[in-house]
Short mmCIF file of all heavy atoms in Angstrom, two decimals:
data_model
loop_
_atom_site.label_atom_id
_atom_site.label_comp_id
_atom_site.label_asym_id
_atom_site.label_seq_id
_atom_site.Cartn_x
_atom_site.Cartn_y
_atom_site.Cartn_z
N ALA A 112 -19.64 2.87 -7.04
CA ALA A 112 -18.69 3.97 -7.12
C ALA A 112 -19.09 5.07 -6.11
O ALA A 112 -20.20 5.38 -5.94
CB ALA A 112 -18.63 4.60 -8.53
N GLY A 113 -18.01 5.58 -5.39
CA GLY A 113 -18.21 6.55 -4.38
C GLY A 113 -18.43 5.94 -2.99
O GLY A 113 -18.40 6.68 -1.99
N GLY A 114 -18.60 4.67 -2.96
CA GLY A 114 -18.76 4.01 -1.66
C GLY A 114 -17.43 3.69 -0.97
O GLY A 114 -16.34 4.09 -1.35
N SER A 115 -17.61 2.95 0.14
CA SER A 115 -16.43 2.68 1.00
C SER A 115 -16.40 1.15 1.38
O SER A 115 -17.41 0.53 1.42
CB SER A 115 -16.46 3.45 2.35
OG SER A 115 -16.45 4.83 2.04
N LEU A 116 -15.16 0.70 1.57
CA LEU A 116 -14.98 -0.64 2.06
C LEU A 116 -13.73 -0.58 3.04
O LEU A 116 -12.88 0.26 2.91
CB LEU A 116 -14.60 -1.64 1.02
CG LEU A 116 -15.74 -2.25 0.14
CD1 LEU A 116 -15.20 -3.08 -1.01
CD2 LEU A 116 -16.81 -3.02 0.94
N ARG A 117 -13.76 -1.52 4.01
CA ARG A 117 -12.55 -1.63 4.94
C ARG A 117 -12.09 -3.03 4.85
O ARG A 117 -12.80 -4.04 5.13
CB ARG A 117 -13.01 -1.28 6.33
CG ARG A 117 -11.77 -1.22 7.24
CD ARG A 117 -12.21 -1.07 8.70
NE ARG A 117 -11.13 -0.76 9.60
CZ ARG A 117 -10.95 -1.24 10.81
NH1 ARG A 117 -11.87 -2.10 11.24
NH2 ARG A 117 -9.95 -0.86 11.57
N LEU A 118 -10.81 -3.19 4.41
CA LEU A 118 -10.19 -4.48 4.36
C LEU A 118 -9.41 -4.77 5.62
O LEU A 118 -8.80 -3.79 6.20
CB LEU A 118 -9.22 -4.57 3.16
CG LEU A 118 -9.85 -4.33 1.73
CD1 LEU A 118 -8.75 -4.52 0.68
CD2 LEU A 118 -11.07 -5.19 1.46
N SER A 119 -9.38 -5.97 6.07
CA SER A 119 -8.58 -6.37 7.25
C SER A 119 -7.69 -7.52 6.80
O SER A 119 -8.04 -8.31 5.95
CB SER A 119 -9.54 -6.81 8.37
OG SER A 119 -10.35 -5.76 8.74
N CYS A 120 -6.59 -7.59 7.51
CA CYS A 120 -5.63 -8.75 7.35
C CYS A 120 -5.12 -9.16 8.66
O CYS A 120 -4.60 -8.37 9.42
CB CYS A 120 -4.48 -8.32 6.40
SG CYS A 120 -3.23 -9.52 6.26
N ALA A 121 -5.37 -10.47 8.98
CA ALA A 121 -4.85 -11.01 10.19
C ALA A 121 -3.57 -11.83 9.92
O ALA A 121 -3.60 -12.74 9.07
CB ALA A 121 -5.92 -11.91 10.83
N ALA A 122 -2.53 -11.49 10.60
CA ALA A 122 -1.27 -12.26 10.49
C ALA A 122 -1.05 -13.17 11.69
O ALA A 122 -1.27 -12.80 12.85
CB ALA A 122 -0.11 -11.25 10.39
N SER A 123 -0.73 -14.41 11.41
CA SER A 123 -0.33 -15.32 12.47
C SER A 123 1.05 -15.93 12.23
O SER A 123 1.52 -15.97 11.11
CB SER A 123 -1.45 -16.49 12.52
OG SER A 123 -1.44 -17.15 11.36
N GLY A 124 1.60 -16.44 13.32
CA GLY A 124 2.98 -17.02 13.15
C GLY A 124 4.07 -16.01 13.02
O GLY A 124 5.14 -16.39 12.59
N VAL A 125 3.79 -14.79 13.31
CA VAL A 125 4.78 -13.71 13.18
C VAL A 125 5.80 -13.79 14.28
O VAL A 125 5.48 -13.67 15.43
CB VAL A 125 4.16 -12.38 13.14
CG1 VAL A 125 5.27 -11.27 12.99
CG2 VAL A 125 3.16 -12.26 11.95
N THR A 126 7.07 -13.95 13.99
CA THR A 126 8.14 -14.00 15.03
C THR A 126 9.05 -12.79 14.98
O THR A 126 9.70 -12.55 15.92
CB THR A 126 8.89 -15.29 14.87
OG1 THR A 126 9.54 -15.37 13.61
CG2 THR A 126 8.03 -16.55 15.10
N ARG A 127 9.19 -12.20 13.81
CA ARG A 127 9.98 -11.05 13.64
C ARG A 127 9.15 -9.74 13.84
O ARG A 127 8.30 -9.48 13.03
CB ARG A 127 10.74 -11.03 12.30
CG ARG A 127 11.70 -12.14 12.21
CD ARG A 127 12.46 -12.04 10.90
NE ARG A 127 13.47 -13.06 10.86
CZ ARG A 127 14.78 -12.80 11.22
NH1 ARG A 127 15.12 -11.63 11.66
NH2 ARG A 127 15.65 -13.77 11.20
N ARG A 128 9.38 -9.05 14.98
CA ARG A 128 8.52 -7.90 15.32
C ARG A 128 8.65 -6.81 14.39
O ARG A 128 7.70 -6.17 13.99
CB ARG A 128 8.87 -7.52 16.72
CG ARG A 128 7.97 -6.39 17.29
CD ARG A 128 8.31 -6.17 18.78
NE ARG A 128 9.67 -5.78 19.00
CZ ARG A 128 10.03 -4.50 19.00
NH1 ARG A 128 9.21 -3.57 18.81
NH2 ARG A 128 11.35 -4.21 19.21
N LEU A 129 9.89 -6.51 13.91
CA LEU A 129 10.09 -5.33 13.03
C LEU A 129 9.80 -5.74 11.62
O LEU A 129 10.71 -6.27 10.85
CB LEU A 129 11.52 -4.82 13.14
CG LEU A 129 11.89 -4.33 14.58
CD1 LEU A 129 13.31 -3.88 14.65
CD2 LEU A 129 10.94 -3.17 14.97
N ASN A 130 8.57 -5.54 11.20
CA ASN A 130 8.23 -5.97 9.86
C ASN A 130 7.42 -4.80 9.24
O ASN A 130 6.77 -3.99 9.92
CB ASN A 130 7.41 -7.25 9.87
CG ASN A 130 6.15 -7.18 10.81
OD1 ASN A 130 5.22 -6.47 10.53
ND2 ASN A 130 6.28 -7.91 11.89
N ASN A 131 7.36 -4.78 7.90
CA ASN A 131 6.48 -3.83 7.17
C ASN A 131 5.28 -4.67 6.63
O ASN A 131 5.46 -5.83 6.26
CB ASN A 131 7.24 -3.26 6.05
CG ASN A 131 8.41 -2.42 6.48
OD1 ASN A 131 8.39 -1.80 7.54
ND2 ASN A 131 9.47 -2.36 5.68
N MET A 132 4.14 -3.97 6.68
CA MET A 132 2.96 -4.66 6.19
C MET A 132 2.27 -3.73 5.15
O MET A 132 2.67 -2.51 5.12
CB MET A 132 1.94 -4.97 7.31
CG MET A 132 2.48 -5.95 8.29
SD MET A 132 1.20 -6.51 9.51
CE MET A 132 0.23 -7.57 8.47
N GLY A 133 1.45 -4.32 4.27
CA GLY A 133 0.82 -3.43 3.33
C GLY A 133 -0.14 -4.17 2.44
O GLY A 133 -0.44 -5.33 2.68
N TRP A 134 -0.65 -3.45 1.49
CA TRP A 134 -1.69 -3.97 0.56
C TRP A 134 -1.19 -3.71 -0.81
O TRP A 134 -0.74 -2.60 -1.22
CB TRP A 134 -2.96 -3.25 0.78
CG TRP A 134 -3.60 -3.56 2.09
CD1 TRP A 134 -3.39 -2.80 3.29
CD2 TRP A 134 -4.43 -4.60 2.42
NE1 TRP A 134 -4.10 -3.39 4.30
CE2 TRP A 134 -4.76 -4.50 3.81
CE3 TRP A 134 -4.99 -5.63 1.69
CZ2 TRP A 134 -5.63 -5.40 4.44
CZ3 TRP A 134 -5.86 -6.52 2.33
CH2 TRP A 134 -6.12 -6.47 3.73
N TYR A 135 -1.40 -4.74 -1.65
CA TYR A 135 -1.10 -4.72 -3.12
C TYR A 135 -2.44 -5.06 -3.74
O TYR A 135 -3.35 -5.64 -3.22
CB TYR A 135 -0.05 -5.67 -3.54
CG TYR A 135 1.34 -5.29 -3.14
CD1 TYR A 135 1.79 -5.26 -1.77
CD2 TYR A 135 2.27 -4.89 -4.10
CE1 TYR A 135 3.05 -4.89 -1.45
CE2 TYR A 135 3.57 -4.52 -3.77
CZ TYR A 135 3.99 -4.53 -2.43
OH TYR A 135 5.22 -4.09 -2.12
N ARG A 136 -2.49 -4.77 -5.06
CA ARG A 136 -3.67 -5.19 -5.81
C ARG A 136 -3.31 -5.60 -7.22
O ARG A 136 -2.29 -5.13 -7.76
CB ARG A 136 -4.74 -4.05 -5.88
CG ARG A 136 -4.33 -2.85 -6.62
CD ARG A 136 -5.45 -1.77 -6.52
NE ARG A 136 -5.10 -0.53 -7.23
CZ ARG A 136 -5.79 0.61 -7.18
NH1 ARG A 136 -6.80 0.70 -6.36
NH2 ARG A 136 -5.39 1.67 -7.91
N GLN A 137 -4.14 -6.42 -7.74
CA GLN A 137 -3.88 -6.91 -9.14
C GLN A 137 -5.19 -6.91 -9.84
O GLN A 137 -6.13 -7.68 -9.55
CB GLN A 137 -3.23 -8.21 -9.20
CG GLN A 137 -2.81 -8.66 -10.55
CD GLN A 137 -1.76 -9.85 -10.55
OE1 GLN A 137 -1.69 -10.57 -9.55
NE2 GLN A 137 -1.14 -10.04 -11.61
N ALA A 138 -5.31 -6.12 -10.94
CA ALA A 138 -6.55 -6.02 -11.75
C ALA A 138 -6.27 -7.10 -12.95
O ALA A 138 -5.17 -7.38 -13.24
CB ALA A 138 -6.78 -4.69 -12.26
N PRO A 139 -7.34 -7.57 -13.54
CA PRO A 139 -7.21 -8.52 -14.68
C PRO A 139 -6.34 -7.86 -15.80
O PRO A 139 -6.49 -6.72 -16.22
CB PRO A 139 -8.63 -8.64 -15.17
CG PRO A 139 -9.48 -8.38 -13.98
CD PRO A 139 -8.77 -7.30 -13.23
N GLY A 140 -5.33 -8.65 -16.21
CA GLY A 140 -4.43 -8.24 -17.24
C GLY A 140 -3.41 -7.20 -16.88
O GLY A 140 -2.61 -6.74 -17.71
N LYS A 141 -3.25 -6.96 -15.60
CA LYS A 141 -2.31 -5.99 -15.09
C LYS A 141 -1.38 -6.55 -14.11
O LYS A 141 -1.70 -7.63 -13.50
CB LYS A 141 -3.02 -4.74 -14.53
CG LYS A 141 -3.83 -3.94 -15.54
CD LYS A 141 -4.34 -2.65 -14.88
CE LYS A 141 -5.04 -1.83 -15.93
NZ LYS A 141 -5.52 -0.50 -15.31
#
């Protein structure tokens, strides 16, 4: 707790330039 992390996501095969990207999360039972 109090620490930091950096997540990365590499996308391949993208043909539609105008796209939205983002991050979602799912905790157990939620």
